[in-house]
Amino acid sequence: MTEAPSLASLAAAARETYLSFFAGMVEATVEPGVEGMSEVGVDLEDPGFLGGLYRFDLVLRLPDDRAVSLDFAMEVPHGQDLPAFAERVGALTLHVFRLRWDDVVVHHDLGDLPEDALEGWFERWFNVHEPEGEDDPFPADRLHSASVATGAVSVDFGTAPSAALVELVSLLEARGAKAVQIDASRDDAETDPDDETVEDVELDEDESLLDIVRRRGPLLN
């Protein structure tokens, strides 16, 4: 008998789909002679992101001493061909329409949710207090970014475990949410596996990738 879907099982499948995509993009992008670091966390001091923190998918040092930071966009959201999914989480009714691990929008009925309500959750899954370095394993099990708007939390879960999404929904339920809908911010037609956000920065000859990240924003350590 096929097991009934749940948020936990869908999240785990979505994460595995994304990890396969992410690993393939990193392998295809980091060519011989190119130095690269994946999942690089920086403090951008940008109020648009929780804690002002952001994690680049990949930072490269090119042979001509240019550095680029890249963010990849996954092609197809997990569950695109599945019917809408719903389940109860305590007193909350959850609907999942699309689940793309790098582009999750959690709509809720709590209105203006204060950012500090998510502070502990974000710090734990972003791994704010853990040191980062060039020898970190892949995947690093780290959330890449999150932002809060009225009635919604937008998250790039990166390589964070599937439990991060399950915990977020439980947190909203504990604060009194009665209805939560999970969707993506990008339309399927807008997404291409080769799409990437690229920032090009000049490097001094003796700078390391850690140096360039520190110049862009203080490296988390």
Side-chain angles (χ1 to χ4, degrees):
M1 179 179 295
T2 303
E3 182 180 352
S6 65
L7 176 60
S9 64
L10 287 181
R15 178 179 183 267
E16 287 304 311
T17 298
Y18 177 73
L19 289 184
S20 178
F21 159 79
F22 190 16
M25 292 298 289
V26 170
E27 182 178 1
T29 305
V30 182
E31 300 175 348
V34 175
E35 182 185 359
M37 289 177 60
S38 61
E39 300 192 80
V40 180
V42 296
D43 184 352
L44 298 181
E45 299 180 353
D46 184 340
F49 297 107
L50 278 178
L53 303 178
Y54 188 84
R55 193 175 298 285
F56 292 115
D57 286 350
L58 185 65
V59 177
L60 298 176
R61 181 191 184 113
L62 304 181
D64 61 0
D65 285 328
R66 285 183 302 121
V68 293
S69 56
L70 302 93
D71 286 319
F72 305 116
M74 191 166 62
E75 180 181 15
V76 179
H78 177 76
Q80 181 180 8
D81 299 322
L82 297 178
F85 163 78
E87 74 172 357
R88 297 284 293 181
V89 179
L92 176 152
T93 300
L94 169 70
H95 290 270
V96 179
F97 297 107
R98 293 181 298 171
L99 187 52
R100 180 188 288 129
W101 200 240
D102 64 337
D103 178 30
V104 177
V105 183
V106 182
H107 300 277
H108 58 80
D109 58 357
L110 294 176
D112 290 321
L113 185 69
E115 289 192 6
D116 59 9
L118 301 177
E119 183 177 0
W121 168 84
F122 176 76
E123 289 187 353
R124 176 163 52 259
W125 297 111
F126 195 92
N127 290 351
V128 168
H129 303 297
E130 292 189 14
E132 299 184 14
E134 295 177 328
D135 297 326
D136 284 354
F138 177 86
D141 294 342
R142 289 166 172 161
L143 185 148
H144 285 192
S145 67
S147 59
V148 176
T150 300
V153 182
S154 299
V155 187
D156 175 353
F157 279 97
T159 61
S162 56
L165 175 57
V166 175
E167 183 179 311
L168 175 58
V169 172
S170 296
L171 186 155
L172 295 173
E173 190 271 338
R175 293 190 67 89
K178 302 300 182 186
V180 165
Q181 298 179 349
I182 294 177
D183 206 341
S185 67
R186 298 190 301 266
D187 290 335
D188 300 332
E190 296 176 351
T191 311
D192 186 295
D194 295 325
D195 281 352
E196 51 192 34
T197 301
V198 180
E199 180 160 349
D200 191 335
V201 183
E202 291 292 333
L203 280 172
D204 293 333
E205 184 176 351
D206 58 351
E207 276 190 308
S208 69
L209 278 179
L210 291 180
D211 291 329
I212 183 57
V213 173
R214 288 191 178 98
R215 269 209 286 129
R216 171 62 198 267
L219 186 71
L220 302 179
N221 52 35

